[in-house]
């Protein structure tokens, strides 16, 4: 699968559709978060799948175990490829999430890449997620090597916080696509550097050139 996941952080269905048309040769998995899901819900998931692409539903569930388990069941019924939960929800919540039959891949947010934190805290959250049976974590590209060392190569690390220049927006723990992939990221997630570019396709082409895939 292609390594770049595009965050569809746009406001409406039409914008998402246009973006998918443009970028589909470069992207296998599109990320749908609350911005678009609240607006277009099931319709957006259906459209992405009809275009032959996978959906990563990034709603970051963080609730009591029963609610999270049932949310995972609902997401499974939509046919998404992967989804997120917050590792901070605790072990019972994480175990509830993974107990769902025929579930999508579940990746836990270690600690948001918009926060400055100690590596120890990230590793602790990653180890808890691994021991609860999750498929991987969402973490900064700067932490991938350490997480893989502690949790094993098979434990996926998916990295937002992808930036090329000094402009970090609200992200804090960032690196370039090249560094993320070199450090062992299974997928990189990118939003604004592509979405806000005048030429999103060129940005994607440049990313693939830089990671040589
Ligand atoms: O625009 P940008 O490249 O910062 O987008 C990153 C995307 O990844 C956003 O949709 C954001 O919600 C998501 N994300 C994140 N940090 C996490 C988990 C998800 O930035 N820990």
């Amino acid at each position: 699968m292609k390594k770049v996941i595009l965050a569809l952080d746009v406001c409406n269905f039409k914008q998402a559709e246009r973006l998918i048309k443009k970028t589909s040769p470069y992207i296998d998995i599109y990320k749908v978060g609350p911005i678009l899901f609240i607006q277009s819900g099931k319709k957006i998931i259906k459209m992405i799948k009809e275009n032959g692409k996978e959906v990563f539903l990034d709603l970051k569930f963080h609730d009591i175990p029963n609610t999270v388990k049932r949310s995972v069941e609902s997401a499974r019924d939509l046919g998404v490829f992967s989804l997120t939960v917050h590792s901070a929800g605790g072990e019972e919540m994480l175990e509830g999430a993974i107990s769902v039959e025929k579930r999508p891949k579940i990746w836990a947010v270690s600690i948001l890449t918009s926060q400055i934190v100690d590596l120890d805290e990230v590793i602790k959250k990653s180890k808890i997620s691994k021991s609860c049976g999750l498929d991987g974590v969402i973490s900064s590209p700067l932490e991938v090597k350490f997480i893989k060392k502690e949790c094993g190569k098979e434990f996926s690390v998916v990295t937002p916080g992808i930036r090329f220049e000094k402009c970090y927006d609200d992200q804090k723990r960032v690196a370039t696509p090249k560094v993320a992939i070199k450090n062992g990221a299974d997928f990189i997630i990118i939003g604004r550097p592509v979405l806000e570019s005048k030429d999103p396709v060129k940005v994607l082409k440049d990313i693939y050139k830089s990671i040589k895939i």
Side-chain angles (χ1 to χ4, degrees), residues 109-144:
V109 175
S110 61
I111 295 190
L112 292 169
T113 44
S114 55
Q115 293 179 286
I116 297 169
V117 287
D118 279 352
L119 179 62
D120 288 352
E121 198 50 39
V122 171
I123 297 297
K124 192 173 145 199
K125 291 281 198 298
S126 301
K127 284 167 100 170
I128 291 170
S129 303
K130 159 93 181 171
S131 73
C132 289
L134 275 85
D135 301 294
V137 283
I138 310 280
S139 218
S140 158
L142 303 170
E143 293 141 13
V144 185

Side-chain angles (χ1 to χ4, degrees), residues 7 9 31 58 60 109 111-113 138 160-163 170-171 189-193:
D9 290 334
K31 184 174 91 71
D58 185 24
K60 300 185 183 68
V109 175
I111 295 190
L112 292 169
T113 44
I138 310 280
I162 298 296
R163 288 296 182 273
D170 50 356
Q171 299 282 13
I189 302 170
I190 190 156
R192 286 163 290 182

